[in-house]
């Protein structure tokens, strides 16, 4: 099982925390502090390359200071200057070196000096002086080389200097490079959820015709502060309202009247997802959904994802076009008979435009040779060289400066029409804010430039591994989803025992080989998913080698027997391929908001849990070589992320209704949704395994506990949930599970709630049917005839509840039930026979003055007119409090007509603003108080 450290509570005080360890020859544990471990690790490794016992440099003292005493063998970095040693003397470090000084326990007796690299040969800015031939200097962004020995200042017209190129970097980002010849690498897309839970703000507004924010309650505007991220994908799960708009705001903060800039206006209301890119000036992304089609405004929902962007990660070579002239304007390359009209470049006789001139956002440029103060002498900026739609412009007119700052990284064109055109001969656009002497345009040179700044983020490193992958019962259907598990009470081999699947995703990419030699009678299907866990394809693997789709990030495998036989043993699949990081990724909510099903292997004994005396040692063996299975269901909240922060689990122990578990019991589904919208994962389980076909109800027997443990283990291993505790609640018969799980399993329970839930399984002789009663007795290890539980004092016409006859039978085997009967779990008793009093009627249980040891906080919700269950729970509360435990009680309203089955759902009701899903109406106050109780112990 893979370690899941992030499911445990974090250590936040490393000064007082201990690490535990054990020698092989000792029974007890030893402890060590984190600091002691750190010092030991430093003594064994050398990250500086100075010695095999060196640690990391600890301090960085200032010149002139006295060095401090530290642990022996620790190093200190010293820069240029003089330092006082601890005992006597000084250490002097020259200006062209730095040093490592090592403390030997008394003083700094060892100093290792390292010369700094000589930077004298690096290119520097020109200053007045004498320079020899081949000296390289810069003036602004232009690089010059001396052709002869000279004292002349370099310039475009200097005879002693030649221009080598420019120091100007052409940025390659989300936009195309400023020249069509530039090469760039682009990773698209890298999806990443911005924050969990969803970070957007939901505001009731509409958009007026400007369009700007107006304060009306006829729509929902989702806004999110976007920071440096500029590319997004917006997804709505279905057509919602009758208008879908995406845009941005440049205001921060957004207020009524803030300008909304449209990027998508879906008037046909058909778009479900759309990618957008906002300008640098954008401060907030805005997504608007109207509800004019009378859809519940609180149900409007969407996902906002950030798309991958360029990161400084690795070496990147850009083919850069470097000008050989200060003049960026080429008078020989004019676009004749063109002008910009209404923001679009189009044909217009008698007007001419310059060629596209590359510019960098924020950089200054100067127009020389014509004035910009004349109306019509405009500058138009385009994102790409061949674009016809203007991004922005600077219009000529009175007072307009000759120097401009480029608003974008892209291209500029200038209108060159004039009555005489004489100024074309001396027109110049040069970089910088100073007008340079005229220089004719010349062909730029092309060179490879090392540019580490704009390398896209690299993929996580793939590691070649040869692994035998985990497998579990179940199939994957043709659309990549996990279908409903086997529900037949007889657990038919023909359906159930033909399928196995990988329970988690495999992080498999590219080519891989798979060993199917042992699976000649089976089909092996490959299911591929992209980086958002969206299904790509299903493929029958006919050979031993396969190559994944280029979009594939995760895969699952499904093994299916091709003939009518069954798979009697776990298939073994060995894969050799590239795994991106770990082998597995936790399960995602593959079926949207629907329930996810899974089949789980259960470990159980053959004939009970105890051999009560030595005489049974040669009797039937407890070992059982058979494999048994149970199943469970789970629903995940919207903020669930298989790689993110684990979510808390709630176990809903269902009542005697709805035991097939195709889904949560229908009357409770709206209330389960309430728990989901508060950020919890909710699961339920079938409490019996295939060992006992035909049984359905909890009885608190060892097999029930084994099923609970196995389902919980499966969820912890295959879903990204917290492993430090689960909340339990049960209705009616579900109280049997809620009452004994903390005592009969290793499931860590945070708190538990009884919703009119019975804690006394012996009241119906451990089952609703004879089949269940017999199965329960076999699970407890009771052999032989169990028919006394089937009848009441010999009268087969009487309902088989707890009676003198069944009590006598249970007393004979009382020791086998110790620790499992939920109402007695943790109760201090003198003899096992006390578990079965003359009657389990409340009038006999309430006066008992037992002490119950229960460290898990409990709460009960029950109406007084559900008198039987009410007084049973009151008895358990009394015993628990005597033992110092927490057991709270909420009396529910009487007079509902069905106090047992509707005690938690008959009201009162409240409307709740949930953490993740807006307002939910008519939630029973019992469920709201239950969740508040859980949160107290989160």
């Amino acid at each position: 099982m893979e370690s899941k450290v992030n499911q445990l509570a974090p250590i936040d005080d490393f000064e007082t925390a201990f690490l535990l360890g054990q020698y092989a020859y000792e029974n007890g544990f030893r402890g060590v502090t984190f600091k002691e471990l750190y010092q030991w690790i430093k003594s064994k490794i050398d990250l500086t390359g100075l010695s095999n016992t060196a640690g990391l440099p600890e301090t960085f003292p200032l010149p002139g200071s006295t060095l401090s005493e530290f642990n022996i063998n620790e190093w200190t970095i010293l820069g240029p200057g003089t330092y006082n040693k601890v005992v006597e003397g000084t250490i002097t470090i020259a200006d062209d070196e730095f040093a490592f000084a090592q403390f030997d326990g008394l003083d700094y007796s060892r100093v290792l000096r390292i010369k700094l690299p000589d930077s004298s040969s690096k290119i520097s800015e020109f200053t007045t002086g004498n320079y020899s031939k081949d000296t390289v200097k810069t003036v602004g962004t232009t690089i010059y080389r001396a052709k002869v020995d000279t004292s002349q200042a370099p310039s475009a017209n200097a005879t002693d200097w030649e221009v080598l190129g420019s120091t100007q970097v052409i940025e390659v980002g989300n936009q195309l490079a400023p020249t069509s010849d530039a090469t760039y690498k682009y990773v698209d897309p890298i999806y990443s959820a911005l924050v969990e839970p969803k970070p957007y703000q939901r505001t009731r507004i509409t958009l007026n015709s400007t369009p700007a924010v107006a304060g009306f309650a006829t729509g929902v505007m989702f806004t999110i502060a976007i920071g440096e991220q500029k590319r997004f994908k917006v997804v709505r799960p279905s057509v919602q309202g009758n208008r879908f708009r995406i845009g941005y705001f440049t205001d921060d903060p957004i207020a009524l009247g803030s300008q909304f800039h449209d990027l998508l206006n879906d008037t046909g209301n058909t778009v479900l997802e759309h990618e957008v890119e906002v300008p640098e000036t954008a401060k907030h992304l805005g997504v608007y959904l109207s509800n004019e089609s009378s859809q519940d405004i609180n149900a409007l929902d969407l996902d906002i994802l950030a798309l991958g962007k360029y990161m400084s990660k690795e070496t990147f070579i850009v083919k850069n076009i470097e000008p050989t002239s200060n003049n960026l304007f080429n008078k020989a390359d004019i676009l004749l008979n063109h002008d910009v009209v209404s923001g679009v470049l189009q044909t217009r006789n008698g007007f001419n435009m310059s060629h596209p001139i590359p510019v960098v956002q924020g950089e200054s440029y100067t127009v020389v040779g014509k004035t910009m103060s004349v109306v019509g002498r405009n500058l138009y900026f385009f994102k790409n060289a061949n674009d016809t739609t203007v991004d922005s412009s600077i219009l000529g007119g009175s007072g307009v400066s000759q120097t401009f700052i480029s608003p974008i990284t892209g291209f500029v064109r200038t209108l060159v029409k004039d009555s005489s055109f004489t100024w074309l001969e001396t027109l110049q656009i040069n970089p910088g804010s100073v007008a340079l002497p005229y220089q004719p345009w010349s062909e730029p040179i092309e060179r490879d430039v090392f540019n580490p700044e704009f390398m896209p983020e690299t993929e996580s490193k793939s590691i070649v591994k040869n692994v035998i992958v985990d497998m579990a019962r179940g199939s994957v259907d043709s659309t990549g989803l996990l279908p409903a598990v086997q529900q037949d009470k007889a657990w038919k081999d023909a359906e159930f025992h033909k399928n196995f699947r990988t329970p988690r995703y495999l992080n498999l990419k590219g080519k891989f080989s798979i060993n199917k030699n042992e699976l000649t009678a089976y089909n092996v299907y490959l299911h591929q998913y992209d980086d958002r866990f969206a299904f790509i394809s299903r493929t029958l693997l006919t050979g031993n080698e396969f190559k994944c789709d280029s979009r594939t990030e995760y895969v699952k495998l499904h093994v299916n027997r091709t003939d009518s036989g069954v798979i009697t043993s776990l298939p073994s699949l060995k894969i050799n391929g590239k795994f991106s990081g770990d082998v597995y990724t936790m399960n995602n909510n593959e079926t949207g908001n629907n329930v996810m099903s899974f089949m789980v292997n259960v470990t159980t004994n053959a004939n009970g849990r105890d051999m009560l005396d030595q005489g049974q040692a040669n009797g039937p063996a407890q070992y059982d070589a058979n494999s048994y299975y149970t199943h469970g269901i789970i629903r995940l909240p919207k903020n669930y992320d298989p790689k993110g922060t684990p979510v808390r689990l709630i176990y809903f122990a269902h009542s005697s209704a709805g035991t097939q578990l195709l889904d949560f019991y229908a009357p409770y589904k709206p209330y389960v949704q309430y728990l989901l919208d508060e950020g919890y994962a909710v699961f339920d389980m079938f409490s019996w395994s295939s060992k006992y076909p035909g049984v359905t109800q909890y009885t608190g027997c060892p097999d029930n506990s084994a099923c609970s443990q196995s389902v919980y283990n499966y969820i912890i291993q295959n879903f990204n949930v917290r492993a430090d505790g689960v909340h339990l609640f049960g209705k009616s018969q579900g109280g049997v599970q809620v009452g004994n799980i903390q005592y009969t399993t290793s499931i860590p329970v945070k708190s538990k709630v009884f919703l009119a839930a019975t804690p006394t399984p012996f009241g119906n002789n451990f089952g609703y049917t004879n089949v269940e009663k017999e199965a329960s007795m076999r699970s407890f290890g009771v052999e032989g005839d169990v028919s006394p539980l089937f009848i009441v004092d010999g009268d087969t016409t009487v309902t088989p509840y707890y009676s003198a006859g069944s009590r006598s039978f249970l007393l004979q085997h009382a020791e086998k039930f110790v620790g499992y009967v939920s109402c007695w779990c943790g109760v201090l008793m003198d003899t096992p026979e006390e578990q079965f009093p003359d009657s389990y009627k409340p009038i006999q249980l309430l006066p008992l003055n037992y002490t119950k040891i229960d460290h898990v906080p409990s709460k009960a919700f029950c109406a007084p007119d559900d008198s039987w269950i009410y007084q049973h729970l009151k008895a358990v509360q009394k015993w628990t409090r005597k033992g110092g435990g927490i057991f709270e009680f909420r009396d529910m309203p009487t007079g509902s007509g069905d106090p047992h089955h509707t005690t938690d759902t008959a009201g009162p009701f409240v409307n709740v603003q949930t953490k993740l899903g807006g307002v939910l109406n008519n939630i029973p106050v019992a469920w709201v108080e239950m969740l508040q109780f859980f949160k107290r112990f989160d």
Side-chain angles (χ1 to χ4, degrees):
M1 184 180 78
E2 292 185 49
S3 173
K4 292 197 65 183
V5 178
N6 66 339
Q7 293 178 323
L8 303 178
I11 296 174
D12 53 14
D13 185 356
F14 288 90
E15 295 298 323
T16 60
F18 276 80
L19 294 167
L20 297 182
Q22 187 181 51
Y23 290 117
Y25 53 81
E26 291 184 349
N27 292 326
F29 285 95
R30 295 176 179 240
V32 64
T33 67
F34 278 88
K35 184 176 180 180
E36 290 168 335
L37 176 63
Y38 170 64
Q39 297 295 344
W40 178 81
I41 292 174
K42 288 201 305 168
S43 71
K44 298 299 181 182
I45 64 175
D46 175 19
L47 298 181
T48 62
L50 301 177
S51 73
N52 60 2
T53 60
L56 289 169
E58 294 292 323
T59 62
F60 305 89
L62 297 174
S65 63
T66 299
L67 302 179
S68 302
E69 297 184 38
F70 286 99
N71 298 311
I72 189 169
N73 291 331
E74 288 192 354
W75 292 86
T76 296
I77 293 181
L78 304 178
T82 299
Y83 305 84
N84 299 314
K85 299 173 69 174
V86 176
V87 180
E88 61 177 351
T90 60
I91 300 173
T92 300
I93 309 301
D95 290 340
D96 62 347
E97 65 182 8
F98 72 98
F100 291 92
Q102 187 180 41
F103 186 68
D104 62 9
L106 296 175
D107 211 336
Y108 287 85
S109 58
R110 187 181 183 199
V111 179
L112 299 180
R113 302 171 187 272
I114 300 173
K115 285 289 186 181
L116 294 171
D118 180 13
S119 61
S120 61
S121 62
K122 291 188 175 180
I123 301 175
S124 60
E125 186 73 14
F126 172 81
T127 57
T128 302
N130 296 317
Y131 293 95
S132 59
K133 180 182 178 183
D134 293 327
T135 298
V136 178
K137 292 292 177 180
T138 62
V139 176
T141 61
T142 304
I143 305 173
Y144 296 91
R145 183 176 62 192
K147 296 190 288 185
V148 295
D149 294 342
T150 182
S151 61
Q152 182 186 34
S155 69
N157 298 319
T159 57
D160 293 349
W161 296 86
E162 63 178 346
V163 176
L164 290 182
S166 173
T167 60
Q168 180 179 316
V169 175
I170 295 181
E171 179 173 333
V172 180
N174 287 337
Q175 303 296 331
L176 290 173
T179 66
S180 58
D181 294 325
T183 60
Y184 62 97
K185 186 174 181 181
Y186 185 63
V187 177
D188 182 32
I190 301 173
Y191 292 105
S192 61
L194 292 169
V195 184
E196 289 295 347
K198 292 179 181 177
Y200 47 64
Q201 300 295 317
R202 180 195 295 253
T203 306
R204 291 191 178 210
I205 63 111
T206 188
L207 294 172
N208 62 29
S209 58
T210 45
V213 178
F216 299 101
T218 59
V220 169
M221 171 67 77
F222 299 88
T223 62
I224 180 171
I226 57 181
E228 295 182 357
Q229 184 63 47
K230 301 303 178 187
R231 297 180 64 244
F232 300 91
K233 184 170 187 176
V234 181
V235 182
R236 54 176 175 164
S238 60
V239 171
Q240 300 174 327
N242 67 354
R243 182 65 61 87
F244 180 34
R245 302 174 75 165
I246 305 174
Y248 62 90
F249 297 91
T250 57
D251 292 350
D252 189 18
I254 302 171
L256 295 184
S258 293
Q259 183 73 31
F260 178 79
H261 302 274
D262 260 323
L263 295 173
L264 168 73
N265 188 353
D266 179 23
T267 56
N269 198 38
T270 58
V271 178
L272 291 180
E273 61 181 57
H274 190 68
E275 292 186 13
V276 296
E277 182 169 347
V278 299
E280 295 294 327
T281 54
K283 297 295 190 298
H284 294 266
L285 184 74
V287 182
Y288 176 73
L289 292 171
S290 73
N291 70 325
E292 296 172 20
S293 59
S294 301
Q295 182 163 345
D296 178 9
I297 194 169
N298 297 302
L300 301 179
D301 196 13
L302 49 82
D303 288 305
I304 301 174
L305 301 113
L307 301 186
K309 67 173 185 176
Y310 283 87
M311 303 293 290
S312 301
K313 289 294 183 182
E314 294 182 1
T315 302
F316 188 37
I317 300 298
V318 179
K319 264 199 180 332
N320 202 354
I321 307 299
E322 296 183 349
T324 56
S325 168
N326 286 329
N327 192 356
L328 304 178
F329 172 73
N330 181 8
K331 64 182 180 181
D333 186 11
I334 293 177
L335 184 61
L336 299 175
N337 296 318
H338 276 76
D339 191 9
V340 171
V341 179
S342 300
V344 178
L345 180 64
Q346 52 189 281
T347 58
R348 187 182 182 190
N349 291 333
F351 292 81
N352 306 300
M353 297 292 289
S354 73
H355 66 100
I357 300 170
V359 288
V360 177
Q361 184 179 22
E363 294 291 329
S364 296
Y365 300 86
T366 301
V367 180
V368 181
K370 77 167 184 175
T371 178
M372 294 295 295
S373 61
V374 176
V375 174
R377 294 186 180 171
N378 306 328
L379 299 173
Y380 299 102
F381 297 86
F382 301 82
K383 288 185 177 180
N384 302 301
N386 296 322
D387 284 357
T388 57
T389 300
V390 173
D391 178 87
S392 52
S393 61
I394 297 176
L395 303 181
S398 177
V400 176
S401 172
Q402 299 296 109
T403 298
F404 65 91
I405 298 176
S406 177
I408 68 168
T409 294
F411 300 85
V412 64
R413 292 179 185 262
T414 180
L415 185 65
V416 297
K417 175 178 174 59
D418 190 86
S419 58
S420 64
F421 288 90
T422 56
W423 49 264
L424 278 177
E425 296 301 317
T426 56
L427 177 60
Q428 175 170 295
I429 299 178
N430 62 249
S433 58
V434 176
L436 299 178
Y438 174 77
Q439 185 178 17
W441 178 89
S442 59
E443 187 76 28
I445 62 171
E446 180 180 300
R447 66 174 68 218
D448 288 343
V449 178
F450 169 71
N451 184 355
E453 295 299 320
F454 307 105
M455 180 64 187
E457 184 175 7
T458 57
E459 299 176 355
S460 56
K461 293 183 178 178
S462 295
I463 303 172
V464 177
K465 296 181 179 180
N466 193 9
V467 298
I468 297 177
V469 298
D470 294 341
M471 301 294 287
R473 285 282 180 196
S475 60
V476 185
D477 71 16
S478 60
T479 63
L481 304 181
L482 306 183
V485 297
Q486 167 68 32
Q487 297 296 326
D488 192 290
K489 292 181 181 179
W491 305 86
K492 294 179 180 178
D493 287 344
E495 299 174 21
F496 169 51
H497 286 103
K498 292 182 65 173
N499 297 286
F500 273 91
R501 67 186 177 209
T502 49
R504 289 170 290 177
Y505 296 100
L506 297 169
N507 299 321
L508 194 60
K509 300 171 68 69
K511 289 184 179 180
F512 67 92
S513 61
I514 182 169
N515 183 0
K516 305 200 316 310
N517 295 335
E518 300 176 5
L519 305 176
T520 54
Y522 306 152
N523 283 330
V524 179
Y525 294 96
L526 176 74
H527 299 258
Q528 302 183 69
Y529 307 83
D530 68 14
D531 54 359
R532 297 183 67 204
F533 302 95
F535 177 66
I536 297 175
S537 64
R538 175 179 189 247
T539 305
L540 174 64
L541 301 183
T542 56
N544 287 333
E545 292 189 355
F546 191 79
K547 183 178 180 180
C548 295
D549 187 280
S550 61
R551 299 167 292 170
T552 298
E553 291 289 334
Y554 311 102
V555 305
K556 283 194 174 186
L557 296 166
H558 170 207
V559 177
N560 170 261
R561 181 138 186 178
T562 58
D563 56 24
S564 59
V566 301
I567 303 177
T568 56
S569 61
L570 186 71
S572 177
L573 283 180
K574 181 179 287 187
I575 290 180
N576 189 308
K578 288 185 177 181
F579 293 85
S580 54
D582 295 332
V583 174
Y584 301 105
T585 286
M586 294 295 177
N587 275 319
N588 191 42
N589 200 349
E590 296 162 314
T591 55
N593 289 326
N594 297 325
V595 68
M596 296 180 67
S597 306
F598 46 88
M599 192 75 66
V600 181
N601 182 253
V602 180
T603 301
T604 182
N605 292 334
N607 63 338
R609 59 193 179 93
D610 284 333
M611 290 297 183
L612 297 183
D613 57 64
Q614 184 62 33
Q616 293 181 310
N618 294 321
Q622 288 186 290
Y623 170 73
D624 192 339
N626 296 314
S627 293
Y628 301 108
Y629 293 88
T630 189
H631 64 262
I633 58 175
I634 188 171
R635 286 190 65 184
L636 304 172
K638 294 179 182 179
N639 64 331
Y640 174 86
D641 182 347
K643 295 183 177 181
T645 302
V647 298
R648 176 75 72 193
L649 273 173
I650 293 178
Y651 169 30
F652 177 14
H654 60 265
S655 65
S656 57
T659 57
Q660 288 302 297
L661 292 186
L662 290 170
D663 201 344
F664 290 94
Y665 188 41
Y668 293 108
K669 289 178 72 173
Y671 313 139
V672 171
Q673 186 64 52
Y674 164 59
L675 302 179
L676 296 169
D677 286 351
E678 285 291 324
Y680 293 85
V682 185
F683 74 100
D684 195 0
M685 66 185 74
F686 185 65
S687 59
W688 287 91
S689 72
S690 54
K691 180 179 179 180
Y692 297 106
V695 297
T696 59
Q697 303 299 333
Y698 311 110
T699 63
C701 66
D703 272 72
N704 292 166
S705 297
C707 290
S708 297
Q709 185 72 66
S710 299
V711 168
Y712 173 79
N713 291 346
Y714 181 93
I715 291 174
I716 291 297
Q717 294 166 15
N718 295 289
F719 293 88
N720 190 23
V721 295
R722 294 180 63 167
D724 61 338
V726 58
H727 299 294
L728 310 179
F729 76 99
K731 179 69 183 290
S732 187
Q733 188 74 8
V736 174
Q737 293 291 83
V738 172
N740 81 344
I741 277 183
Q742 74 192 78
Y743 297 97
T744 62
T745 73
S746 64
I747 299 172
V749 181
K750 302 289 286 186
S751 66
K752 59 184 186 290
V753 165
F754 298 85
L755 298 178
T758 177
T760 50
F762 59 88
N764 56 15
N765 294 337
F766 295 94
Y768 281 69
T769 66
N770 288 348
V771 173
E772 288 172 352
K773 300 175 196 296
E774 181 174 8
S776 297
M777 293 303 102
R778 302 304 180 226
S779 179
F780 278 114
V782 177
E783 300 296 326
D785 181 23
V786 298
S787 62
L789 300 182
F790 300 166
I791 61 177
V792 180
D793 295 335
D795 185 355
T796 58
T797 64
V798 179
T799 303
Y801 281 113
Y802 186 70
S803 64
S806 58
R807 175 176 179 263
S808 176
F809 174 83
L810 295 172
L811 285 173
Q812 296 176 41
H813 305 282
E815 191 169 349
K816 289 186 177 291
F817 300 96
V818 171
Y820 278 87
V821 180
S822 56
C823 65
W824 305 127
C825 287
V827 174
L828 303 182
M829 292 180 167
D830 292 330
T831 67
E833 286 72 23
E834 290 183 63
Q835 298 174 99
F836 303 107
D838 292 342
S839 170
Y840 85 114
K841 294 180 179 180
I843 195 172
Q844 184 163 346
L845 294 182
L846 270 174
L848 297 176
N849 198 29
Y850 283 127
T851 298
K852 180 178 175 69
I853 307 303
D854 188 347
H855 299 297
V856 175
S858 303
K859 187 166 185 173
F861 295 81
C862 195
D865 50 353
D866 185 10
S867 58
W868 198 279
I869 302 298
Y870 182 85
Q871 294 184 65
H872 275 208
L873 290 171
K874 281 291 186 181
V876 176
Q877 180 192 38
K878 171 185 171 182
W879 305 334
T880 301
R881 287 183 168 179
K882 185 179 179 183
I886 297 173
F887 196 119
E888 300 177 5
F889 211 103
R890 171 70 147 87
D891 280 11
M892 300 302 293
T894 59
S896 68
D898 188 359
H900 177 64
H901 293 104
T902 65
T903 187
D904 58 315
T905 58
F909 299 94
V910 292
N911 299 334
V912 183
Q913 174 68 54
T914 64
K915 178 181 178 182
L916 302 177
V919 176
L920 292 181
N921 298 323
N922 299 321
I923 303 300
V925 71
W927 283 66
V928 178
E929 288 188 10
M930 176 181 73
L931 187 58
Q932 290 175 338
F933 184 75
F934 289 161
K935 289 181 177 180
R936 282 165 51 191
F937 304 101
D938 262 349

